[in-house]
mmCIF file of all heavy atoms in Angstrom:
data_model
loop_
_atom_site.group_PDB
_atom_site.id
_atom_site.type_symbol
_atom_site.label_atom_id
_atom_site.label_comp_id
_atom_site.label_asym_id
_atom_site.label_seq_id
_atom_site.Cartn_x
_atom_site.Cartn_y
_atom_site.Cartn_z
ATOM 1 N N CYS A 121 3.637 12.317 18.752
ATOM 2 C CA CYS A 121 3.354 11.005 18.151
ATOM 3 C C CYS A 121 4.466 10.050 18.624
ATOM 4 O O CYS A 121 5.602 10.410 18.582
ATOM 5 C CB CYS A 121 3.366 11.141 16.652
ATOM 6 S SG CYS A 121 3.019 9.556 15.896
ATOM 7 N N VAL A 123 5.362 7.347 17.212
ATOM 8 C CA VAL A 123 5.867 6.451 16.067
ATOM 9 C C VAL A 123 7.296 6.882 15.610
ATOM 10 O O VAL A 123 8.148 6.049 15.199
ATOM 11 C CB VAL A 123 4.894 6.415 14.874
ATOM 12 C CG1 VAL A 123 5.361 5.403 13.808
ATOM 13 C CG2 VAL A 123 3.491 5.963 15.376
ATOM 14 N N GLY A 124 7.512 8.167 15.604
ATOM 15 C CA GLY A 124 8.925 8.647 15.390
ATOM 16 C C GLY A 124 9.368 8.459 14.002
ATOM 17 O O GLY A 124 10.607 8.154 13.787
ATOM 18 N N CYS A 125 8.528 8.653 12.962
ATOM 19 C CA CYS A 125 9.099 8.479 11.592
ATOM 20 C C CYS A 125 10.270 9.450 11.361
ATOM 21 O O CYS A 125 10.117 10.612 11.794
ATOM 22 C CB CYS A 125 7.977 8.664 10.557
ATOM 23 S SG CYS A 125 6.643 7.472 10.769
ATOM 24 N N PHE A 127 11.273 11.287 8.959
ATOM 25 C CA PHE A 127 11.130 12.482 8.075
ATOM 26 C C PHE A 127 10.084 13.446 8.655
ATOM 27 O O PHE A 127 9.704 14.458 8.069
ATOM 28 C CB PHE A 127 10.636 12.083 6.631
ATOM 29 C CG PHE A 127 9.551 11.055 6.710
ATOM 30 C CD1 PHE A 127 8.220 11.465 7.048
ATOM 31 C CD2 PHE A 127 9.786 9.749 6.594
ATOM 32 C CE1 PHE A 127 7.197 10.590 7.126
ATOM 33 C CE2 PHE A 127 8.747 8.814 6.708
ATOM 34 C CZ PHE A 127 7.441 9.249 6.997
ATOM 35 N N CYS A 128 9.496 13.094 9.860
ATOM 36 C CA CYS A 128 8.367 13.863 10.377
ATOM 37 C C CYS A 128 8.753 14.622 11.638
ATOM 38 O O CYS A 128 9.122 14.023 12.625
ATOM 39 C CB CYS A 128 7.234 12.825 10.669
ATOM 40 S SG CYS A 128 5.768 13.578 11.440
ATOM 41 N N THR A 130 6.680 16.064 13.733
ATOM 42 C CA THR A 130 5.812 15.630 14.835
ATOM 43 C C THR A 130 6.483 14.426 15.609
ATOM 44 O O THR A 130 6.475 14.350 16.872
ATOM 45 C CB THR A 130 4.445 15.209 14.400
ATOM 46 O OG1 THR A 130 3.922 16.221 13.561
ATOM 47 C CG2 THR A 130 3.508 14.930 15.563
ATOM 48 N N GLY A 131 6.999 13.529 14.856
ATOM 49 C CA GLY A 131 7.660 12.301 15.338
ATOM 50 C C GLY A 131 8.842 12.561 16.194
ATOM 51 O O GLY A 131 9.316 11.753 17.014
ATOM 52 N N GLY A 169 -2.912 15.301 10.785
ATOM 53 C CA GLY A 169 -2.105 16.191 11.631
ATOM 54 C C GLY A 169 -1.244 15.357 12.571
ATOM 55 O O GLY A 169 -0.676 14.306 12.164
ATOM 56 N N MET A 170 -1.101 15.815 13.803
ATOM 57 C CA MET A 170 -0.191 15.063 14.759
ATOM 58 C C MET A 170 -0.878 13.742 15.093
ATOM 59 O O MET A 170 -2.040 13.686 15.362
ATOM 60 C CB MET A 170 -0.137 15.882 16.051
ATOM 61 C CG MET A 170 0.596 17.129 16.005
ATOM 62 S SD MET A 170 0.410 17.976 17.636
ATOM 63 C CE MET A 170 1.884 19.107 17.591
ATOM 64 N N GLY A 171 0.014 12.731 15.127
ATOM 65 C CA GLY A 171 -0.485 11.444 15.664
ATOM 66 C C GLY A 171 -0.943 10.401 14.618
ATOM 67 O O GLY A 171 -1.174 10.738 13.428
ATOM 68 N N GLU A 172 -0.980 9.131 15.080
ATOM 69 C CA GLU A 172 -1.333 8.026 14.195
ATOM 70 C C GLU A 172 -2.751 7.511 14.588
ATOM 71 O O GLU A 172 -2.923 6.964 15.691
ATOM 72 C CB GLU A 172 -0.245 6.925 14.387
ATOM 73 C CG GLU A 172 -0.626 5.559 13.882
ATOM 74 C CD GLU A 172 -1.168 5.559 12.395
ATOM 75 O OE1 GLU A 172 -0.521 6.223 11.558
ATOM 76 O OE2 GLU A 172 -2.164 4.844 12.143
ATOM 77 N N VAL A 205 -0.022 5.143 8.875
ATOM 78 C CA VAL A 205 1.264 4.530 8.491
ATOM 79 C C VAL A 205 1.119 3.023 8.356
ATOM 80 O O VAL A 205 2.067 2.386 7.819
ATOM 81 C CB VAL A 205 2.433 4.950 9.424
ATOM 82 C CG1 VAL A 205 2.850 6.323 9.316
ATOM 83 C CG2 VAL A 205 2.111 4.535 10.855
HETATM 84 S S1 SF4 B 416 4.330 10.445 9.988
HETATM 85 FE FE1 SF4 B 416 2.480 10.105 11.249
HETATM 86 S S2 SF4 B 416 2.906 8.218 12.364
HETATM 87 FE FE2 SF4 B 416 4.891 8.938 11.547
HETATM 88 S S3 SF4 B 416 5.785 10.228 13.263
HETATM 89 FE FE3 SF4 B 416 4.557 11.663 11.847
HETATM 90 S S4 SF4 B 416 2.554 11.794 12.806
HETATM 91 FE FE4 SF4 B 416 3.555 9.957 13.677
#
Side-chain angles (χ1 to χ4, degrees):
C121 180
V123 184
C125 301
F127 47 77
C128 174
T130 310
M170 290 175 162
E172 163 54 41
V205 288

